[in-house]
Amino acid sequence: MEGATLSVFVTIQKIYYPLLCVIGIPGNLFTFYMICFRNCGMSSTAIIYLSCLAIADIFYLVWVILIDLTLTFWTLQPFWHSYPWCSILGFLQYGSLYSSSWIVVVFTIERYLVLRSTAVKQHLSQTRVTKLTCIAIVLVSHLVSVPLAWINIVTPVNLTVNGENITLPRCRYRNETYTTVIVWITTFLSGGIPIVLVIIFNYLIGYHLCNASKLFTKEECRVMQGKSTRGMLRRTILLLGTVSVAFVVLSLPRFVTYCILRTKYNNENFNRNDYSIPINVAGDIANMLQNLNSTTNFLLYCMVSRRFRQELVQVLTCNEKALELGSVLTNTTMKVFSVVDHKASSSSNPVSVVLTSLKPTE
């Protein structure tokens, strides 16, 4: 019974990872096209950050899910179980993982700073600054990943295939102290620290919006937004909570299991493919969640935008104008993550509003 259950779990992964590639790679490519070449109502800085995020996720899907995990479950001897691919693949995988995680972190911090200070907004709203920031993130991410090229070693391993004992080279973790140290640092840089920063700055954004709403009376907010202050604020915080919870829920299990696997079980004799050991099953489930995060980032950060949905309908239906899509995530959904300059915004029914006697309201 136990063997049958483990066989089902392996079969699920054999289907799951190719499916992520089939959905995730075209999905991120399509998102890149939508963000860069369609008018989705995002600021120039948001376009740069989100397009870079889509590219980073594509490379992560290729290096980790397609070349590593898919080949692991579908072939007996993937090509990266030999030099120099054993070292190169680790470097490329962590470079893309760092890039994806820290683009999200820096983008979240930038949104908070833009909301917090007008002077900072004028500086950070320059596309040149944003492009240099994204380039720096990618370069630093891959530079920090260089030590990871030395944590693996190709060693001969005895395997039983179709009842026959054979010896094949395998890319395995080195049983060395410095390997454990590097893995600890890597785990916190790619998982622990980004998770904490995303939670903190999303909370600060929500806190700032709460205080900012108190500068206007309820009537003034209704004229400006066409919504009640309380309802607008609830939807904004709901979005921030959704983004934060999704990132934490999908990333935290891998952070925990990876720490356990690469410390307590970080030795050459440990069989990572033995699913009778609970930590192996937990580790693979955590990996499935982490990889799902890279596949669905475009949904979390783009599909919540009403303008994005309208442009999507235009592309899919070849209509000149998209239908008006009603949703609880409308006016306030992407305002935190894609602040559009007032000069670029327009409205079919412009309304001039003069605010007088501004005072905090309870």
Side-chain angles (χ1 to χ4, degrees), residues 152-295:
N152 295 324
I153 185 173
V154 177
T155 59
V157 177
N158 294 323
L159 301 174
T160 302
V161 180
N162 297 326
E164 296 183 4
N165 293 327
I166 60 175
T167 301
L168 294 175
R170 280 289 183 265
C171 185
R172 306 289 290 270
Y173 277 85
R174 295 178 186 267
N175 188 18
E176 302 288 347
T177 302
Y178 76 88
T179 302
T180 303
V181 174
I182 292 176
V183 168
W184 270 109
I185 295 174
T186 300
T187 303
F188 276 96
L189 287 179
S190 63
I193 296 176
I195 289 172
V196 172
L197 289 177
V198 167
I199 293 175
I200 291 175
F201 280 95
N202 273 287
Y203 169 78
L204 291 176
I205 290 173
Y207 180 78
H208 177 77
L209 291 176
C210 288
N211 288 337
S213 67
K214 295 180 181 180
L215 292 174
F216 307 100
T217 64
K218 193 172 294 186
E219 289 74 16
E220 289 168 340
C221 287
R222 285 198 183 100
V223 174
M224 289 185 293
Q225 300 291 345
K227 304 284 182 180
S228 67
T229 304
R230 187 179 301 275
M232 177 183 64
L233 187 60
R234 185 184 301 115
R235 284 188 295 273
T236 302
I237 295 178
L238 175 63
L239 171 66
L240 297 177
T242 301
V243 172
S244 299
V245 169
F247 184 80
V248 172
V249 169
L250 295 177
S251 301
L252 186 59
R254 183 181 182 275
F255 171 70
V256 175
T257 57
Y258 200 82
C259 287
I260 297 174
L261 281 169
R262 299 314 171 202
T263 52
K264 184 178 179 180
Y265 298 96
N266 188 34
N267 59 77
E268 296 180 355
N269 296 324
F270 179 71
N271 185 6
R272 182 65 177 85
N273 297 319
D274 185 2
Y275 289 109
S276 63
I277 304 175
I279 188 61
N280 284 338
V281 178
D284 279 9
I285 293 176
N287 284 334
M288 293 169 71
L289 293 175
Q290 172 76 20
N291 296 326
L292 180 64
N293 182 50
S294 295
T295 305

Side-chain angles (χ1 to χ4, degrees), residues 14-66:
K14 292 178 68 174
I15 299 173
Y16 179 77
Y17 289 119
L19 185 62
L20 286 186
C21 294
V22 171
I23 297 175
I25 295 177
N28 280 291
L29 286 172
F30 181 73
T31 301
F32 178 81
Y33 163 76
M34 290 291 295
I35 293 173
C36 294
F37 300 102
R38 305 289 297 191
N39 182 14
C40 296
M42 300 178 186
S43 67
S44 56
T45 56
I47 290 174
I48 295 172
Y49 277 116
L50 293 178
S51 60
C52 288
L53 178 61
I55 294 174
D57 285 339
I58 290 172
F59 280 107
Y60 180 86
L61 288 166
V62 171
W63 302 136
V64 177
I65 300 180
L66 179 60

Side-chain angles (χ1 to χ4, degrees), residues 30 33-34 38 303 308-322 325:
F30 181 73
Y33 163 76
M34 290 291 295
R38 305 289 297 191
M303 292 298 288
F308 185 91
R309 294 194 297 271
Q310 290 177 336
E311 290 295 321
L312 178 63
V313 171
Q314 290 187 34
V315 172
L316 296 179
T317 61
C318 299
N319 291 333
E320 294 183 0
K321 184 177 180 180
L325 300 179

